[in-house]
Amino acid sequence: MSSERNVTPPQFNPITGAIRALAMDAVQKANSGHPGAPMGMAEIAEVLWRHHLKHNPANPKWADRDRFVLSNGHGSMLIYALLHLTGYDLSIDDLKNFRQLHSKTPGHPEYGYAPGIETTTGPLGQGITNAVGMALAEKVLADEFNRPGHAIVDHRTWVFLGDGCLMEGISHEACSLAGTWGLGKLTAFYDDNDISIDGHVDGWFTDDTPKRFEAYGWQVIRDVQGHDPVAIEAAIAQAKANTAQPTLICCKTIIGAGAPNKQGGHDVHGAALGDAEIAATREHIGWHHPPFEIPAEVYAAWNAREAGASAEAEWNARLKTYRAAHPELAAEFERRMSGKLPSDWTAHVDAVLAQVTDKAETIATRKASQKSIEAFAPRLPELIGGSADLAGSNLTLWSGARGVTREHGGNYVYYGVREFGMAAIANGLSLHGGLIPYTATFLMFSEYARNALRMAALMKIRQVFVFTHDSIGLGEDGPTHQPVEQIATLRFIPNMDVWRPCDTTESTVAWACAIERADGPSSLCFSRQNLAFQPRSAAQVAAIRHGGYVLSEAGNAERGEAPHAVILATGSEVALAMEAQAKLAEVGTFVRVVSMPSTNVFDRQEAAYKASVLPARVPRVAIEAGVTDFWRKYVGLEGAVIGIDRFGESAPAGQLFKEFGITSDAVVDAVRTLVG
Amino acid sequence: MSSERNVTPPQFNPITGAIRALAMDAVQKANSGHPGAPMGMAEIAEVLWRHHLKHNPANPKWADRDRFVLSNGHGSMLIYALLHLTGYDLSIDDLKNFRQLHSKTPGHPEYGYAPGIETTTGPLGQGITNAVGMALAEKVLADEFNRPGHAIVDHRTWVFLGDGCLMEGISHEACSLAGTWGLGKLTAFYDDNDISIDGHVDGWFTDDTPKRFEAYGWQVIRDVQGHDPVAIEAAIAQAKANTAQPTLICCKTIIGAGAPNKQGGHDVHGAALGDAEIAATREHIGWHHPPFEIPAEVYAAWNAREAGASAEAEWNARLKTYRAAHPELAAEFERRMSGKLPSDWTAHVDAVLAQVTDKAETIATRKASQKSIEAFAPRLPELIGGSADLAGSNLTLWSGARGVTREHGGNYVYYGVREFGMAAIANGLSLHGGLIPYTATFLMFSEYARNALRMAALMKIRQVFVFTHDSIGLGEDGPTHQPVEQIATLRFIPNMDVWRPCDTTESTVAWACAIERADGPSSLCFSRQNLAFQPRSAAQVAAIRHGGYVLSEAGNAERGEAPHAVILATGSEVALAMEAQAKLAEVGTFVRVVSMPSTNVFDRQEAAYKASVLPARVPRVAIEAGVTDFWRKYVGLEGAVIGIDRFGESAPAGQLFKEFGITSDAVVDAVRTLVG
């Protein structure tokens, strides 16, 4: 196959031999994993990691390090081998524990598990997209912080990717934008081995990939012999020389190169080689050491600790000069990279909130969201917004928004109609550090981005997802645009905080909580239509942060009596709950209204607080313009839920609420049926 | 703007004037909608619909009609105008009801609402992808049914699309495959107007689109003047002449062409023009009729009923000749296009099921799924399978599978790593008729395809989604690949039937139900790991079709006593429930085990049946290796749920079930706590 394909096989040596051996031995020991990519990309990895990657293994969080992303994350043993060999805190025992419970070396590279893993990869296409975000972050921060003679932000982003990433649609979204933005410090190595899981890709992947990337405005270096260090070196030099375009280096490689009988075929992609082939490989590549034994001279050749320390020291010296010349900028840069909010943040939030409650506006919560951005963004230059071609509908622009362009950075990104790419690029912005991204689309199209939302939650990173047009309340655009099950399904993502505020006050608190939440993403769901302002005491305003609270006590509470029922509601349905409360009071039925803007946050509260909001043995009715089953966790089998368990319709919003029975009268009827 | 862009403006006439007038007037009357695309594509539509589209307005379901897809579905008034003008059963009153409740003319074209709407569009990128599926269906059916001298399947697929569709990642997936398959009868018109919602696309869409499509292997016709009928005619001729490649016709257009003050800008994209601009437009385009009044001669010029009737009559004559020459093929073709299963289907299912229960195999349910395909597919030539590069893991290949290639059709599609594209292409296969598609990926990556699953449910079309590796049971690949919330969130999609079978018998029934379900899609979730066979009576086997049933009665039932508790379980956890039942019996606690392979189907059963399975006032415990909150709808606040509310980990599967507490001992403890 290699001759047909005009691929020059590797000249084996102990340096790359260490990668091949560690990869095949670790996969064999785990009896699962993917040896093909690490063995096929050993030479590329060697040239990049030993001669170009700017990093300091002793400080994997160094702000100005190059970022490296293994977008073909199933080849995780490649990055584990590289981290181990170059001197990161990843021992040979860690490698022996490949794919074992609670090891630092899980099956796919997981952010937060091993030092030096910049992002979690595995879901194909998202790694390259995160990398586009990282390179964009570098561009934005360089534009903001660098000054003549002071290039304090000046690093590159390197990506390995395979056929799978290139087939995924998200690669189109991300790489199109990378070309538009002219991300000259982004370089991707395409592991062009002609093999995917189902076999030779001829039957399902016939793109002219170089031509495709040229159409995106990338520099493309074609037909690079991926096992020839000289060719790789030359390609990297060409990539570095072009500062105006991202570069795709198309590397012809042999999957599993070094395994004499299995290389070049899909059997080597995702399974252990087996003892016989491993022995044959040792012979073939001239690696005569037992598993997990690396000769000292090989370690020495790979070790990057000294070079890394001096690179960081040199940068520290430059930072010192910068600090002397621009002390405020330097302090701000360090705050930003630390992820800490400004010291006056809490006071500012309180002041904003006081204004909002004073104004008592009845507006759409998407408009309230825009006002929150307008209030918070001037104090938070790390906020970097954006929308998937719905800026005017999502209301994510603000007076200080400055769009990112090819020529300069900014604090607002026009993502175009690319929801998945947007969310995963923003994950990259967040992972890079120094920025807090918010992104936006219609709530329905959270589905296009779904797995990137999950990845943010899994990686425990901060991103604010703004989702507007949160129900049938969007009206005439109809069922394809009307969320029914989306809010409930977002709430089911572990570590995702979902908020659905009912008015300006709750919208402001939701935004504040989302910004403050450093260990996970938040989804903020806002209405298209106006929602009535709800008056609250100071204690009630403070209680919003608990995710659920008593918005309006039952009329019989003054007499020390228990409410006859509790109504739970979110977002646009809170006003209906309040109406129902009033109607019921007229007939002597006294109900408490609980506003529950975030069930996720409420669920984390102490049991006593939760019981104080939702007293036991009081009948409960929930109302939300979405699937009803979600609410059984609060109302039980005996309670009632008013919601929508079918698809929406195209019509003016007011008609739809009636059509679907989302009315205060329905709440009244449900309460009266329960209370009897 | 038009001069800068070198776009020749239209020469207005009453034929295209009718489209422009209907579009702007209907949007104005509804006071919402998108006039820009209909007005900008009026000339393209005129040439295609009056001179090329093969259709019969009197029979919108004619098997050999051309398929037309408006991928930029927000421009819905364009297709409503075309259907009305050419003589479909869509009256002027229907057009006046644009975007009103229960009208045939909702905000986006909805499949099943107006005749002639081939698919629901609006979520961008999916229309072109459905169209790729329709064109693939034509190719596959032509290959299967045509005989020398008998081209009984011979029609084209036409698509209108805009910048939004081209930005979406799914357009990459679909169009790459269309190129690979050489779909020569697929022609797409790109409405290249340089405008998307956020404004001029320069800032976020700088692709060289023609070059990109050439990279996919398409014929690209560049720089066509989209308001010049002669140029459009020539481009269509060139598209038709190339039978080996799909064609993209890049049409330079002016958005909202005809509105003298608003055309060419984004204000005309998605809002009513307003009375003044409408009056100015009438003047500008020379249309002097009141809203919704079309002169008889204009109707006459558009009317396609006569031409359509004779086209269909000509085809019917050819079908008659075909039937004479190939009676069995003709009968099969007619059965297939009717959507009816073979007459011996039920008997065949029973026979297969008898074999399966006889064999009593303990295998992975993904393997059981493969055996179901192997058993059913030979009798169901309409089954067309596929996987997103995971054929060997999803086990979707069978002995009679024949891959579709550029050269010929087949019954299996190698989709490559393109989950969203796959699902939406398969929606197109289903919509075309004559085929029942099944597609496959890991359950986790249902998220990549999420909105296409929803679209299948919304359109009420048949597709079988096979999702394997359905829990932490997949083991070492770790949290990026381990579903936790996915099953629950799939169940929340209205009209989606989700099945999670526990053994070979339930797997077989799930497959049979999915195939039989003509009015909606099914998601079948299968295990990677072996699952124990569960013995059942014939009545129990029959009860599987109810979605939930008593798999094992409590030991005290013989004495006429009520069970002490009910355990509900699905899939791999059913065996744990059975173990717990046995352990509990040893200590005198008698529990019933309910297997609940499909909660959606169970929920549709009559109340009496449901109560017979889940008796009131008996404590309930649910176990499923996924998010727990879903199960509150069955166990209430008092019951217990054993599941997983956090992300998975990378480790061998057996260890993970212990780590996450998904064990029979946990069930035993929960029951004993409840029973007291």
Side-chain angles (χ1 to χ4, degrees):
Chain A
M1 169 168 287
S2 62
S3 65
E4 280 167 59
R5 293 182 51 240
N6 189 25
V7 186
T8 311
Q11 294 200 315
F12 298 111
N13 64 49
I15 309 294
T16 51
I19 293 178
R20 292 195 163 92
L22 287 172
M24 71 179 180
D25 290 334
V27 170
Q28 186 67 27
K29 184 163 190 295
N31 198 26
S32 82
H34 300 74
M39 298 177 76
M41 297 192 82
E43 281 74 27
I44 303 168
E46 189 274 331
V47 175
L48 177 63
W49 278 66
R50 286 188 64 230
H51 303 293
H52 293 278
L53 189 72
K54 181 172 80 170
H55 66 137
N56 181 7
N59 181 11
K61 292 292 176 189
W62 172 27
D64 203 43
R65 72 192 180 278
D66 284 358
R67 268 61 171 180
F68 174 81
V69 174
L70 186 77
S71 193
N72 46 351
H74 50 275
S76 54
M77 264 313 300
L78 177 57
I79 191 164
Y80 297 147
L82 291 165
L83 294 170
H84 171 71
L85 291 168
T86 56
Y88 284 77
D89 181 17
L90 194 70
S91 70
I92 197 75
D93 284 336
D94 290 325
L95 267 55
K96 289 180 188 168
N97 275 322
F98 181 52
R99 296 186 149 234
Q100 302 311 304
L101 191 59
H102 302 315
S103 76
K104 285 179 171 175
T105 50
H108 290 84
E110 301 285 344
Y111 180 66
Y113 282 55
I117 301 296
E118 301 281 4
T119 180
T120 297
T121 51
L124 291 172
Q126 288 192 68
I128 171 66
T129 308
N130 297 159
V132 169
M134 293 173 190
L136 176 62
E138 198 269 353
K139 175 191 172 104
V140 164
L141 293 170
D143 193 64
E144 183 176 358
F145 287 102
N146 289 352
R147 289 295 177 273
H150 298 280
I152 215 68
V153 180
D154 185 13
H155 54 269
R156 307 186 65 84
T157 303
W158 308 95
V159 188
F160 284 7
L161 52 80
D163 293 297
C165 290
L166 291 175
M167 283 186 255
E168 288 287 2
I170 191 173
S171 71
H172 166 58
E173 301 182 5
C175 297
S176 171
L177 284 172
T180 299
W181 296 329
L183 299 177
K185 290 184 186 163
L186 173 67
T187 305
F189 296 83
Y190 167 29
D191 181 28
D192 183 8
N193 60 32
D194 281 355
I195 296 296
S196 66
I197 296 180
D198 276 356
H200 198 276
V201 298
D202 267 10
W204 48 87
F205 187 42
T206 59
D207 293 2
D208 181 340
T209 296
K211 189 168 182 173
R212 174 186 161 210
F213 274 71
E214 285 168 0
Y216 297 148
W218 286 49
Q219 169 176 240
V220 178
I221 308 177
R222 295 169 184 245
D223 295 321
V224 174
Q225 287 296 337
H227 299 297
D228 175 1
V230 176
I232 299 161
E233 182 65 45
I236 291 177
Q238 191 179 336
K240 285 183 164 177
N242 185 333
T243 58
Q245 293 175 294
T247 297
L248 181 71
I249 302 177
C250 299
C251 301
K252 294 277 173 200
T253 61
I254 303 164
I255 191 169
N261 307 300
K262 292 194 168 181
Q263 66 185 9
H266 69 143
D267 286 351
V268 82
H269 169 87
L273 296 183
D275 290 333
E277 183 70 359
I278 282 181
T281 303
R282 281 193 147 66
E283 197 57 39
H284 188 59
I285 69 173
W287 183 267
H288 301 293
H289 315 287
F292 302 106
E293 281 193 28
I294 310 285
E297 64 274 19
V298 174
Y299 271 127
W302 274 105
N303 195 302
R305 291 182 73 96
E306 199 174 317
S310 70
E312 185 172 351
E314 187 270 334
W315 182 79
N316 281 329
R318 286 195 283 122
L319 183 64
K320 197 174 164 187
T321 323
Y322 176 74
R323 193 182 293 116
H326 306 283
E328 287 179 13
L329 265 182
E332 175 69 359
F333 177 74
E334 290 181 319
R335 177 188 76 77
R336 295 272 293 276
M337 292 307 295
S338 78
K340 284 186 192 140
L341 297 177
S343 54
D344 64 349
W345 169 255
T346 305
H348 183 60
V349 170
D350 291 345
V352 169
L353 210 41
Q355 282 180 352
V356 167
T357 53
D358 256 21
K359 277 196 176 172
E361 289 178 295
T362 288
I363 52 178
T365 50
R366 63 175 169 148
K367 185 73 190 166
S369 166
Q370 187 177 41
K371 291 187 176 217
S372 297
I373 299 169
E374 191 73 50
F376 293 143
R379 304 292 185 100
L380 279 182
E382 55 263 58
L383 268 191
I384 180 163
S387 163
D389 200 45
L390 290 168
S393 298
N394 300 141
L395 298 180
T396 40
L397 282 167
W398 61 287
S399 60
R402 180 164 165 266
V404 170
T405 69
R406 169 179 284 273
E407 290 72 31
H408 59 72
N411 60 8
Y412 194 85
V413 185
Y414 291 93
Y415 287 101
V417 191
R418 302 178 180 93
E419 298 80 9
F420 194 10
M422 171 177 70
I425 286 172
N427 283 345
L429 293 172
S430 184
L431 287 161
H432 180 281
L435 297 168
I436 299 178
Y438 66 92
T439 56
T441 184
F442 289 157
L443 177 57
M444 177 55 69
F445 301 114
S446 65
E447 298 205 342
Y448 275 51
R450 177 98 192 169
N451 199 251
L453 314 189
R454 188 180 205 261
M455 293 302 289
L458 174 61
M459 291 193 276
K460 304 189 175 82
I461 59 175
R462 180 156 45 190
Q463 183 180 162
V464 186
F465 298 104
V466 173
F467 296 125
T468 68
H469 297 64
D470 71 345
S471 76
I472 53 168
L474 79 74
E476 292 90 341
D477 275 346
T480 54
H481 285 55
Q482 289 167 357
V484 172
E485 71 277 28
Q486 283 65 30
I487 292 176
T489 63
L490 288 174
R491 290 176 180 139
F492 274 174
I493 302 175
N495 197 38
M496 173 68 77
D497 277 3
V498 180
W499 290 83
R500 186 172 187 247
C502 75
D503 69 355
T504 57
T505 309
E506 285 189 1
S507 296
T508 310
V509 172
W511 256 105
C513 290
I515 288 168
E516 293 164 21
R517 186 166 193 246
D519 61 352
S522 304
S523 291
L524 310 185
C525 305
F526 295 117
S527 72
R528 177 193 186 201
Q529 72 276 26
N530 283 354
L531 302 188
F533 179 83
Q534 302 294 339
R536 291 175 189 81
S537 69
Q540 284 175 314
V541 172
I544 297 171
R545 283 179 175 265
H546 294 141
Y549 62 98
V550 180
L551 174 64
S552 179
E553 191 46 286
N556 61 347
E558 295 167 2
R559 304 198 298 266
E561 293 171 13
H564 298 145
V566 174
I567 307 175
L568 298 89
T570 75
S572 45
E573 285 67 72
V574 167
L576 300 179
M578 295 296 290
E579 275 176 39
Q581 183 192 47
K583 289 179 183 174
L584 286 161
E586 286 173 16
V587 293
T589 301
F590 299 105
V591 302
R592 167 187 288 187
V593 174
V594 169
S595 179
M596 188 78 95
S598 178
T599 62
N600 307 90
V601 174
F602 180 76
D603 290 350
R604 285 201 296 269
Q605 305 303 309
E606 290 187 3
Y609 175 76
K610 288 191 279 191
S612 76
V613 175
L614 300 176
R617 283 176 298 279
V618 177
R620 300 173 190 171
V621 174
I623 177 167
E624 184 174 67
V627 290
T628 57
D629 281 343
F630 176 83
W631 289 94
R632 290 290 159 199
K633 64 181 278 198
Y634 297 112
V635 307
L637 300 179
E638 301 76 20
V641 187
I642 293 155
I644 305 176
D645 289 311
R646 55 190 175 109
F647 291 109
E649 293 287 353
S650 170
Q655 288 181 38
L656 289 174
F657 280 95
K658 288 190 191 75
E659 168 77 8
F660 287 94
I662 311 296
T663 63
S664 60
D665 286 342
V667 178
V668 168
D669 290 348
V671 168
R672 298 193 71 175
T673 302
L674 279 185
V675 170
Chain B
M1 168 168 286
S2 62
S3 64
E4 283 168 58
R5 292 182 54 237
N6 190 25
V7 187
T8 311
Q11 294 200 315
F12 299 111
N13 64 50
I15 309 293
T16 52
I19 294 178
R20 290 196 165 91
L22 286 172
M24 72 179 179
D25 290 333
V27 170
Q28 186 68 25
K29 183 163 191 296
N31 198 25
S32 83
H34 299 75
M39 298 178 76
M41 297 190 82
E43 281 73 28
I44 303 168
E46 189 274 330
V47 175
L48 176 64
W49 277 66
R50 287 189 63 230
H51 304 292
H52 293 277
L53 189 72
K54 180 173 80 171
H55 65 136
N56 181 7
N59 181 11
K61 292 292 177 190
W62 173 25
D64 203 43
R65 71 192 181 278
D66 285 357
R67 269 62 172 179
F68 174 81
V69 174
L70 187 77
S71 193
N72 46 351
H74 50 274
S76 54
M77 264 314 299
L78 177 57
I79 190 165
Y80 297 147
L82 291 165
L83 294 170
H84 170 71
L85 291 168
T86 55
Y88 284 78
D89 180 17
L90 194 69
S91 70
I92 198 74
D93 284 336
D94 290 324
L95 268 54
K96 289 180 188 168
N97 275 322
F98 180 51
R99 295 186 150 235
Q100 303 311 303
L101 192 58
H102 302 314
S103 76
K104 285 179 171 176
T105 50
H108 290 85
E110 302 284 344
Y111 181 67
Y113 282 54
I117 302 295
E118 301 281 3
T119 180
T120 296
T121 51
L124 292 172
Q126 288 191 68
I128 171 66
T129 309
N130 297 160
V132 169
M134 294 174 189
L136 176 63
E138 197 270 353
K139 174 190 171 107
V140 164
L141 293 169
D143 194 64
E144 183 176 357
F145 288 101
N146 289 351
R147 288 295 178 274
H150 298 281
I152 215 68
V153 180
D154 184 15
H155 54 269
R156 309 185 63 85
T157 304
W158 308 94
V159 187
F160 284 6
L161 52 80
D163 293 297
C165 290
L166 291 174
M167 285 187 252
E168 288 287 2
I170 191 173
S171 70
H172 166 59
E173 301 182 4
C175 297
S176 170
L177 284 171
T180 300
W181 296 329
L183 298 177
K185 290 183 187 162
L186 173 67
T187 305
F189 296 83
Y190 167 30
D191 181 28
D192 183 9
N193 59 31
D194 280 357
I195 297 295
S196 65
I197 296 179
D198 276 356
H200 198 276
V201 298
D202 268 9
W204 49 87
F205 187 42
T206 60
D207 293 3
D208 181 340
T209 296
K211 188 168 182 173
R212 174 185 161 210
F213 274 71
E214 285 169 0
Y216 296 148
W218 286 50
Q219 170 177 241
V220 177
I221 308 177
R222 296 169 183 244
D223 294 322
V224 175
Q225 286 297 337
H227 299 297
D228 176 0
V230 176
I232 298 160
E233 183 66 45
I236 291 176
Q238 190 179 336
K240 285 183 165 177
N242 185 334
T243 58
Q245 293 175 294
T247 296
L248 181 71
I249 302 177
C250 298
C251 302
K252 295 278 173 199
T253 62
I254 302 165
I255 189 168
N261 307 300
K262 291 194 168 181
Q263 66 184 10
H266 68 143
D267 285 351
V268 82
H269 169 88
L273 296 183
D275 290 332
E277 183 71 0
I278 282 182
T281 303
R282 280 192 147 67
E283 198 57 39
H284 188 62
I285 69 174
W287 183 266
H288 302 293
H289 315 287
F292 302 105
E293 281 193 27
I294 310 283
E297 64 273 20
V298 174
Y299 272 127
W302 274 105
N303 195 302
R305 291 181 73 96
E306 198 173 318
S310 72
E312 186 172 351
E314 187 272 331
W315 182 79
N316 280 329
R318 286 196 282 123
L319 183 64
K320 195 174 166 189
T321 324
Y322 176 73
R323 193 181 293 117
H326 306 282
E328 287 180 12
L329 264 181
E332 175 71 359
F333 177 75
E334 290 182 318
R335 178 188 75 77
R336 294 272 294 276
M337 292 308 294
S338 77
K340 284 188 193 137
L341 297 177
S343 55
D344 63 349
W345 169 254
T346 304
H348 183 60
V349 170
D350 290 346
V352 169
L353 210 40
Q355 283 180 352
V356 167
T357 54
D358 255 22
K359 276 197 177 172
E361 288 178 295
T362 287
I363 53 178
T365 49
R366 63 174 168 149
K367 185 74 190 165
S369 165
Q370 188 177 41
K371 291 186 175 215
S372 297
I373 299 170
E374 190 72 49
F376 293 142
R379 303 292 185 99
L380 279 182
E382 55 263 58
L383 267 191
I384 179 162
S387 162
D389 200 45
L390 289 168
S393 297
N394 300 141
L395 299 179
T396 40
L397 282 167
W398 61 288
S399 61
R402 179 164 165 267
V404 170
T405 69
R406 169 179 284 273
E407 290 73 31
H408 59 71
N411 60 9
Y412 194 85
V413 185
Y414 291 93
Y415 287 100
V417 190
R418 303 177 180 94
E419 297 81 8
F420 195 10
M422 171 177 70
I425 287 172
N427 283 346
L429 293 171
S430 183
L431 286 161
H432 180 280
L435 297 168
I436 299 177
Y438 66 92
T439 56
T441 183
F442 289 157
L443 176 57
M444 177 55 69
F445 301 115
S446 65
E447 297 205 343
Y448 275 51
R450 178 97 191 169
N451 199 251
L453 313 189
R454 187 179 205 264
M455 292 301 290
L458 174 60
M459 291 192 277
K460 303 190 176 81
I461 58 175
R462 181 156 44 190
Q463 184 180 162
V464 186
F465 298 104
V466 173
F467 297 125
T468 68
H469 297 64
D470 72 344
S471 75
I472 53 168
L474 79 75
E476 292 90 341
D477 275 346
T480 54
H481 285 55
Q482 288 166 359
V484 172
E485 72 277 27
Q486 283 65 30
I487 293 176
T489 63
L490 288 174
R491 289 177 181 138
F492 274 174
I493 302 174
N495 197 38
M496 173 68 76
D497 277 1
V498 180
W499 290 83
R500 186 172 187 246
C502 76
D503 68 355
T504 56
T505 309
E506 285 190 359
S507 297
T508 309
V509 172
W511 256 106
C513 289
I515 288 169
E516 294 163 20
R517 184 164 195 249
D519 60 353
S522 304
S523 291
L524 311 184
C525 305
F526 295 117
S527 72
R528 178 193 185 200
Q529 72 277 24
N530 283 354
L531 302 188
F533 178 83
Q534 303 294 338
R536 292 175 190 82
S537 68
Q540 285 176 315
V541 172
I544 296 172
R545 282 178 176 265
H546 295 141
Y549 62 99
V550 180
L551 174 64
S552 180
E553 191 46 284
N556 60 348
E558 295 166 2
R559 303 198 298 265
E561 294 171 13
H564 298 144
V566 174
I567 308 176
L568 298 89
T570 75
S572 45
E573 284 68 70
V574 167
L576 299 179
M578 295 296 289
E579 275 177 38
Q581 182 193 47
K583 288 180 183 173
L584 286 160
E586 286 173 17
V587 294
T589 301
F590 298 105
V591 302
R592 166 187 288 188
V593 174
V594 169
S595 180
M596 188 79 95
S598 178
T599 62
N600 307 91
V601 174
F602 180 76
D603 290 349
R604 286 200 296 269
Q605 304 305 307
E606 291 185 3
Y609 176 77
K610 289 191 278 191
S612 77
V613 175
L614 300 177
R617 285 176 296 279
V618 176
R620 300 174 189 171
V621 174
I623 177 166
E624 184 175 68
V627 289
T628 57
D629 281 343
F630 176 83
W631 288 94
R632 290 290 157 199
K633 65 182 276 198
Y634 297 112
V635 307
L637 300 179
E638 301 76 22
V641 187
I642 293 154
I644 304 176
D645 289 312
R646 55 191 175 107
F647 291 109
E649 295 286 353
S650 169
Q655 287 181 39
L656 289 175
F657 280 95
K658 289 190 190 74
E659 169 76 9
F660 287 94
I662 311 297
T663 63
S664 61
D665 286 343
V667 179
V668 168
D669 290 348
V671 169
R672 298 193 70 175
T673 302
L674 280 184
V675 171

